[in-house]
């Protein structure tokens, strides 16, 4: 409203505010009606959307009831579950099968350390048993055959794919390499979302039939490039062995210690300096765990020490870090060993994995790496009592007809062959299950296998026939149909209650002024009646109920359905006699279960049959189309939560009323200002009259 100067009753003594308020009350009646109309539309919108959520939920139920799994539940029974158990998929054929005998169960291939010698050999020296949770490097001398260590640092880096057609990542250190048949390979494990890639030095070395399985490392740039696209957000993990790593840190004056990132430092490298230190511009060398300036030829003044087992540098000469900020660069190597394992798959393919063992790793760490490898499929276990290690294929069966299932290479596998005593170890197990089924001798790689939709599990060897019977799971199918009927009835009940809801036309939506005069309880009671019956006898809803009743009770004229079960009433589902309840459904449990048992195919098609005409379609197919049309009609009328008002009819009407209310408020503001202006003019006139009267009266009083 416009702000104007108002004089309210000072001269006249009248309650101008009260007078204007009463005058405005009458003028506001058209505005009140607009506000009430808007409120009614908002309530209708809420009621429509609440009901439409039920239509949406029922439509989802109908979508599920189109699936064959709702009508083809199967149950199995074994004549001897101590020998054979079974489960059946929904598509399993009804009937029975007999397993006459099982002569051999499937077993997993196993290799035991030391089994290649005539007497069992332990991995530890006598009197120096290893500890599975201690670092391997610290126990090198406790192993019977020791451990062959190489100089190098095991580095792990992780990247995220950026979606480029040719993805590439930059490694922080150059990896060590080997050359075989003129091809350079790198000591590197590369995985993208768990898929393993081999790494070569030249794209031309990638076999034509292996495209998409390789990456190329450029030694000059340090960049690893994949030969196929890596999708955005992919997890790229690179583990490799670097000959040495360099760490650079800035240390404050007087710093006493510096911890290197690796906890084990190699102090020799076959005659080459394996450790170097540079502080600011001065080089330092390591000798007998002590650090000397390179210029200190006599090695008379050590500036600190290195604990090679922990990677901790301790500075004993504070003068070397005399500046406020000191740049310290350390280049060093560590100790590592390698281990390679392979395994066969049923299709003849081979899984291969190379493990890089850091000197700080324990045997438990190595075993966890093997056990957690996603594709290798080998379990590794150390028994402290026997002091031996086992390797077991996680899949059972004879997966390699020509040899072992578990592959332990020779060259470069000293840790497995020598340290863990697997050289020449003999493999046991790795056998197929052998049995006779329905008179046919056959075998499987696993004791659990599927035939014609039935999954069998062999529990033991036996020669007494066991019969497995597959039948309809009547109870489950009955429950699925009952749940559908319950959902249908819930929708019918909700819609019918709105259609029958009483309308109290004398209870218009409350104005703000009216609410001020009521308690909260009175307001709630009034609102309940004011918004009651807003969808009473709604034509969209009435048409929906009438259509659903017609569709659900009509016969399904489909040639694939027995005439004995071509409508709901024939399988025990009928409408209630009380039509005021909207034609809800009732189930005769015995009759429905009998129909499911006697003719499951017809029962299924009664619900989900397809066809060119409505008459040919099953009940669910018909209802889905009807419910979907009603849902869309209500959306057009009342929208949904993601819509703006301009997208649906009621919303547009609300916007129109909002505009009218805004215009009306502007007009009322101007009217109120005019009233106050008129009263202000009156007050000013009275004030002027009073002043003149007082002035004239003074002349008479003086005489």
């Amino acid at each position: 409203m416009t702000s104007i100067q108002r004089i309210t009753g000072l001269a006249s003594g009248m309650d101008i505010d009260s007078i204007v308020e009463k005058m405005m009350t009458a003028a506001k009646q058209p505005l009140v009606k607009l506000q009430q109309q808007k409120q009614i539309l908002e309530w209708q919108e809420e009621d429509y959307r609440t009901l439409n959520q039920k239509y949406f939920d029922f439509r989802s139920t109908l979508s599920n009831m189109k699936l064959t799994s709702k009508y083809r539940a199967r149950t199995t029974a074994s004549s001897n579950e101590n020998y054979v158990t079974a489960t059946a998929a929904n598509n399993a054929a009804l009937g029975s099968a007999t397993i006459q005998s099982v002569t051999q169960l499937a077993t997993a291939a196993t290799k035991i350390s030391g089994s290649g010698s005539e007497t069992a050999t332990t991995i530890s020296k006598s009197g120096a048993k290893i500890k599975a949770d201690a670092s391997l490097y610290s126990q090198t001398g406790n192993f019977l055959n020791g451990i062959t260590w190489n100089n190098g640092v095991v580095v792990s880096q992780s990247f995220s794919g950026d979606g480029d057609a040719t993805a590439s990542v930059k490694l922080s250190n150059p990896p060590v390499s080997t050359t075989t048949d003129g091809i350079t390979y790198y000591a590197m494990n590369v995985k993208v979302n768990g898929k393993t890639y081999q790494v070569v030095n030249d794209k031309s070395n990638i076999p034509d039939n292996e495209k998409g399985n390789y990456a190329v490392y450029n030694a000059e740039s340090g960049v690893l490039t994949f030969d196929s696209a890596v999708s955005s957000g992919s997890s790229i993990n690179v583990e490799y062995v670097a000959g040495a790593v360099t760490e650079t840190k800035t240390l404050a004056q007087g710093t006493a210690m510096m911890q290197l990132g690796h906890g084990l430092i190699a102090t020799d490298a076959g005659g080459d300096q394996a450790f170097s230190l540079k502080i600011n511009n001065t080089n330092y060398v390591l000798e007998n765990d002590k650090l000397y300036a390179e210029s200190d030829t006599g090695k008379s003044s050590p500036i600190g020490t290195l604990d090679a087992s922990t990677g901790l540098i301790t500075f004993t000469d504070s003068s070397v870090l005399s500046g406020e900020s000191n740049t310290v660069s350390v280049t060093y190597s560590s100790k590592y060993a390698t281990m390679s394992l392979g395994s066969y798959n049923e299709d003849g393919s081979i899984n291969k994995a190379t493990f890089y063992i850091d000197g700080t790793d324990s045997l438990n760490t190595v075993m966890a790496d093997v056990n957690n490898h996603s594709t290798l499929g080998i379990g590794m276990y150390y028994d402290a009592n026997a002091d031996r290690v086992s390797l077991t294929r996680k899949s059972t069966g004879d997966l390699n007809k020509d040899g072992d299932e578990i592959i332990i290479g020779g060259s470069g596998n000293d840790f497995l062959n020598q340290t863990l005593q697997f050289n020449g170890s003999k493999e046991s197990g790795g056998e197929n299950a052998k049995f006779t089924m329905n008179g046919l001798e056959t075998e499987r790689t696993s004791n659990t296998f599927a035939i014609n939709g039935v999954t069998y599990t062999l529990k033991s060897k036996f020669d007494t026939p066991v019969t497995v019977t597959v039948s309809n799971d009547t109870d489950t199918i009955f429950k699925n149909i009952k749940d559908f009927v319950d959902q249908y009835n819930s929708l019918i009940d909700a819609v019918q209650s709105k259609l029958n809801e009483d309308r109290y036309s004398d209870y218009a939506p409350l104005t703000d002024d009216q609410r001020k005069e009521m308690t909260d309880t009175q307001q709630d009671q009034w609102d309940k009646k004011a918004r009651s019956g807003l969808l009473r006898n709604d034509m969209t809803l009435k048409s929906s109920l009438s259509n659903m009743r017609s569709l659900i009770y009509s016969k399904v004229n489909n040639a694939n359905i027995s005439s004995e079960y071509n409508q709901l009433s024939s399988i025990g589902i009928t409408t209630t006699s009380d039509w005021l309840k909207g034609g809800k459904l009732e189930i005769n449990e015995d009759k429905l279960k009998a129909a499911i048992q006697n003719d499951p195919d017809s029962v299924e098609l009664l619900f989900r049959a397809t066809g060119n005409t409505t008459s040919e379609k099953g009940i669910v197919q018909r209802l889905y189309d009807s419910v979907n049309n009603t849902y869309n009609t209500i959306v057009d009328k009342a929208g949904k939560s993601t819509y703006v008002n301009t997208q649906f009819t009621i919303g547009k009407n609300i916007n129109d009323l909002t505009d009218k209310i805004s215009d009306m408020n502007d007009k009322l503001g101007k009217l109120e200002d005019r009233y106050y202006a008129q009263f202000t003019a009156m007050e000013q006139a009275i004030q002027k009259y009073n002043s003149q009267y007082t002035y004239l009266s003074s002349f008479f009083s003086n005489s």
Side-chain angles (χ1 to χ4, degrees), residues 51 54-55 58 484-500 541-550 552 575-576 578-586 623 626-627:
L51 276 184
K54 290 188 173 293
Y55 275 101
F58 187 56
F484 155 75
V485 170
D486 289 343
Q487 289 287 321
Y488 174 84
N489 286 341
S490 177
L491 174 63
I492 295 297
D493 187 57
V495 174
Q496 193 65 52
S497 65
K498 279 298 180 183
L499 289 172
N500 295 337
L541 300 179
K542 288 181 70 174
S543 175
S544 170
L545 286 190
S546 176
N547 193 35
M548 285 195 293
R549 284 197 296 262
S550 174
I552 205 166
T575 54
T576 61
D578 187 356
W579 282 86
L580 292 177
K581 294 183 179 180
K584 289 164 60 172
L585 299 177
E586 295 177 329
L623 282 177
S626 175
V627 169

Side-chain angles (χ1 to χ4, degrees), residues 436-475:
T436 301
M437 185 172 187
N438 292 340
L440 176 67
E441 292 185 6
T442 185
E443 59 185 81
R444 293 291 187 278
T445 59
S446 173
N447 294 314
T448 298
F449 51 89
I451 297 178
N452 296 331
V454 181
T455 300
Y456 300 87
T457 298
L458 306 179
K459 313 282 283 193
S460 173
K461 294 191 292 184
F462 60 86
D463 55 12
T464 301
V466 176
T467 298
V468 173
T469 303
V470 179
S471 57
N472 263 324
D473 187 350
T474 302
D475 289 339

Side-chain angles (χ1 to χ4, degrees), residues 624-639:
Y624 184 91
D625 294 339
S626 175
V627 169
N628 190 53
N629 288 335
T630 302
Y631 173 80
N632 289 330
T633 299
I634 295 176
V635 167
D636 290 340
K637 183 178 292 188

Side-chain angles (χ1 to χ4, degrees), residues 78-84 97-103 436 458 460-468:
S78 170
S79 62
N80 192 332
E81 291 195 348
N82 292 324
Y83 290 157
V84 182
T98 299
I99 299 179
Q100 281 80 17
S101 64
V102 175
T103 58
T436 301
L458 306 179
S460 173
K461 294 191 292 184
F462 60 86
D463 55 12
T464 301
V466 176
T467 298
V468 173

